[in-house]
Amino acid sequence: MRLLAPLPLLLPSVAFAAEPNADRWDAKARELLERSVAFPTVAGRGQVPAQAAYFADQLKAAGWAEGDLHILPYQAAPDNQTAALIARWPATGKPGGKPILLMAHLDVVDAKREDWSMDPFRLVEQDGYFYGRGTSDNKGGAVALVTALLRLRAEGFRPKRDLVLFFTGDEETTGEGARLGAAEWRKWTDAEFALNSDAGGGGFDKQGRPLGFSLQAAEKTYSMYSFTVRNRGGHSSKPRKDNAIYTLAEALKRLEAHRFAPMLNETTRAYFSVREKSETGPLGDAMRAWLKDPADGAAADAIEADEGEVGITRTRCVATRLEGGHADNALPQLARATVNCRIMPGVEPAAVRDELERVVNDPEVTVERTDDQKMSLASPLRPDVVAAYTAAVHRRHPTAPIMPEMSTGATDARPFRVSGIPVYGVDGAWGVVPDDLRAHGRDERLPVKALYDDVDHWVDMLKALAGK
Ligand SMILES: [Zn+2]
């Protein structure tokens, strides 16, 4: 999920007039996060509906109409009964545009008490951090969104277009809620665009210097393939030239050596245009060369040699699992590799299968797709969203670069982008890189100030995009 985070005391302090009632809304955000972390919304534990009801109750108490709140149970997987929350704040008077969708997910990756320094499902505040599962991914974002809406309503804000919260309950596993949201539940979720709290956010180095805030506008397509070799087998005391394992091994060596054609899109062009300004040395040279000539495979290779940039210049496929053979003393009748591809937006997964088959170039090896993922699309960098995000970030972090981002992983944004609703990952939380990158890991945490900043950030964003 999000890129980053920081040691608040090391940050250059910038004086702002305190927001009226700032303490009250900080306290509200803290209360919501404390209650939210206490719901162990792990797949299969059945706690997501209760978490969704908790947020719905908060909104109802603040004036949301019963008919604008929907808790939608759904089956994400055979062992995962979960729920989504939809909450509409209707525009005041005649809407000035289509709704804006505000996204987060309520589920979290499992966390074991014995792996952590503390109970992962009890919020702990310590040394300027909130600790607990979901603090950074993505309960902190959900809480910031809800608190921002409660505050805007309390302060008399009148939205010029509907603001629709959409929180799913299985982002970390099946992503079924997002698929339903973009299709079956469209009558509630239809929007001009969506803002996602599960992506974006900022990173600082240990000296408190801002590395940048991401604006996620694209994701690669996650797609699965298999390479299969079958053979008549036989007794292993009589080896032959034809051997399923060796044939598969040759195919995998060709996959390893293969490079897909480099591709630059609007998002990655904007990203590298920001990055190259501060990047010195060979990496910066490679970025500048590649921006000049996106067909320059050597420059793309040099960029991808940096661990932080892997997957940004082209489709990448990698072997992730192997199976084969059936006895220690038999020639293998089957050898199979699982291949996971992260495909550039706008490229069909079927075309990647065809390319893999050409790469393998061996009729003994069957190359197949093993899922039916749809091609992802990049969202155009809307000037209004870019401007609102930039202003909101710069209000608190005036020198932070804004970096459009194409994620190599996947979030709930994908089915919406595919179905024609552009999505922007524009959360305003932050952390120190790499110390605070603990999403899915042990002792996950979020700087206390990052949560409170994130509420202010969403208030600013929504005023800019729904208040004029
Ligand atoms: Zn997430």
Side-chain angles (χ1 to χ4, degrees):
M1 79 136 257
R2 82 169 55 100
L3 169 68
L4 355 205
L7 300 176
L9 295 178
L10 298 181
L11 290 176
S13 66
V14 180
F16 293 114
E19 309 268 349
N21 287 320
D23 291 352
R24 173 186 165 197
W25 295 109
D26 288 356
K28 189 68 187 174
R30 190 192 192 289
E31 173 197 327
L32 293 185
L33 187 64
E34 184 164 23
R35 291 289 301 274
S36 297
V37 166
F39 292 104
T41 52
V42 173
R45 289 182 66 173
Q47 290 295 302
V48 174
Q51 164 80 78
Y54 171 67
F55 280 140
D57 288 346
Q58 292 286 323
L59 293 164
K60 202 170 132 194
W64 267 254
E66 191 100 41
D68 289 327
L69 296 167
H70 308 275
I71 294 172
L72 303 163
Y74 64 97
Q75 196 78 35
D79 62 347
N80 188 17
Q81 173 67 30
T82 186
L85 170 67
I86 295 179
R88 176 176 304 266
W89 182 0
T92 306
K94 190 178 175 316
K98 284 183 77 178
I100 300 174
L101 200 64
L102 305 170
M103 297 172 60
H105 63 86
L106 300 171
D107 59 311
V108 292
V109 170
D110 202 2
K112 303 260 182 268
R113 174 66 187 92
E114 59 269 30
D115 297 337
W116 279 51
S117 309
M118 69 283 285
D119 181 350
F121 298 107
R122 197 172 70 84
L123 188 74
V124 170
E125 182 177 343
Q126 194 180 297
D127 305 329
Y129 282 93
F130 288 126
Y131 287 85
R133 175 55 92 222
T135 48
S136 76
D137 184 14
N138 170 228
K139 286 180 173 173
V143 163
L145 274 173
V146 171
T147 309
L149 291 181
L150 296 175
R151 180 174 135 195
L152 283 165
R153 192 146 192 159
E155 292 175 357
F157 178 71
R158 294 151 69 91
K160 294 281 164 42
R161 53 211 297 176
D162 292 9
L163 296 174
V164 183
L165 279 185
F166 177 58
F167 292 176
T168 59
D170 68 322
E171 192 271 350
E172 299 289 4
T173 52
T174 34
E176 179 68 5
R179 194 195 64 72
L180 289 163
E184 278 87 338
W185 300 334
R186 189 66 168 252
K187 63 177 178 287
W188 294 307
T189 61
D190 201 31
E192 184 164 332
F193 58 86
L195 304 176
N196 188 3
S197 71
D198 195 28
F204 291 78
D205 68 16
K206 287 183 190 184
Q207 285 70 46
R209 286 182 298 242
L211 301 169
F213 273 69
S214 296
L215 190 167
Q216 193 234 49
E219 288 174 354
K220 295 176 95 176
T221 309
Y222 175 109
S223 196
M224 299 302 307
Y225 302 83
S226 65
F227 292 1
T228 306
V229 185
R230 296 186 188 276
N231 186 278
R232 64 187 164 96
H235 201 289
S236 64
S237 66
K238 302 284 186 190
R240 300 189 306 272
K241 276 190 82 148
D242 60 304
N243 178 300
I245 288 177
Y246 295 155
T247 302
L248 180 65
E250 293 294 331
L252 293 176
K253 292 303 288 179
R254 287 192 281 272
L255 171 67
E256 183 190 9
H258 181 63
R259 292 291 172 271
F260 287 82
M263 296 176 75
L264 198 58
N265 58 35
E266 183 194 21
T267 302
T268 57
R269 180 181 292 283
Y271 167 77
F272 283 115
S273 299
V274 176
R275 288 278 281 112
E276 66 90 5
K277 287 191 179 65
S278 57
E279 199 62 54
T280 52
L283 182 57
D285 292 342
M287 289 176 178
R288 285 180 281 278
W290 194 53
L291 283 168
K292 248 184 232 127
D293 179 10
D296 184 345
D301 280 348
I303 292 170
E304 298 244 344
D306 186 278
E307 271 187 41
E309 311 295 339
V310 172
I312 312 295
T313 72
R314 48 166 62 111
T315 293
R316 296 293 298 259
C317 295
V318 65
T320 54
R321 286 177 185 266
L322 275 178
E323 63 171 300
H326 57 285
D328 290 351
N329 57 356
L331 298 173
Q333 292 174 344
L334 173 88
R336 177 179 287 143
T338 299
V339 175
N340 179 216
C341 294
R342 307 300 178 116
I343 303 170
M344 290 296 285
V347 175
E348 287 285 359
V352 171
R353 192 216 71 89
D354 295 349
E355 181 158 346
L356 290 173
E357 192 172 73
R358 289 194 296 274
V359 168
V360 167
N361 192 27
D362 184 343
E364 298 298 314
V365 181
T366 305
V367 177
E368 288 170 304
R369 293 185 67 190
T370 56
D371 65 17
D372 58 356
Q373 290 291 344
K374 290 203 183 69
M375 170 177 84
S376 76
L377 294 172
S379 298
L381 290 170
R382 283 179 67 108
D384 55 352
V385 173
V386 173
Y389 184 65
T390 302
V393 169
H394 284 170
R395 181 147 183 227
R396 277 156 286 279
H397 313 285
T399 61
I402 303 296
M403 301 193 299
E405 178 197 0
M406 176 187 72
S407 296
T408 53
T411 69
D412 278 345
R414 190 186 51 79
F416 285 94
R417 290 199 177 107
V418 170
S419 75
I421 298 180
V423 184
Y424 303 94
V426 288
D427 197 54
W430 43 261
V432 174
V433 177
D435 301 23
D436 296 345
L437 298 178
R438 300 183 182 188
H440 301 197
R442 71 189 294 271
D443 297 352
E444 180 180 349
R445 67 186 186 179
L446 177 71
V448 171
K449 189 165 189 322
L451 178 71
Y452 302 156
D453 279 357
D454 202 17
V455 175
D456 296 342
H457 171 86
W458 281 106
V459 165
D460 290 347
M461 292 270 300
L462 296 175
K463 280 183 178 170
L465 292 167
K468 283 185 241 146

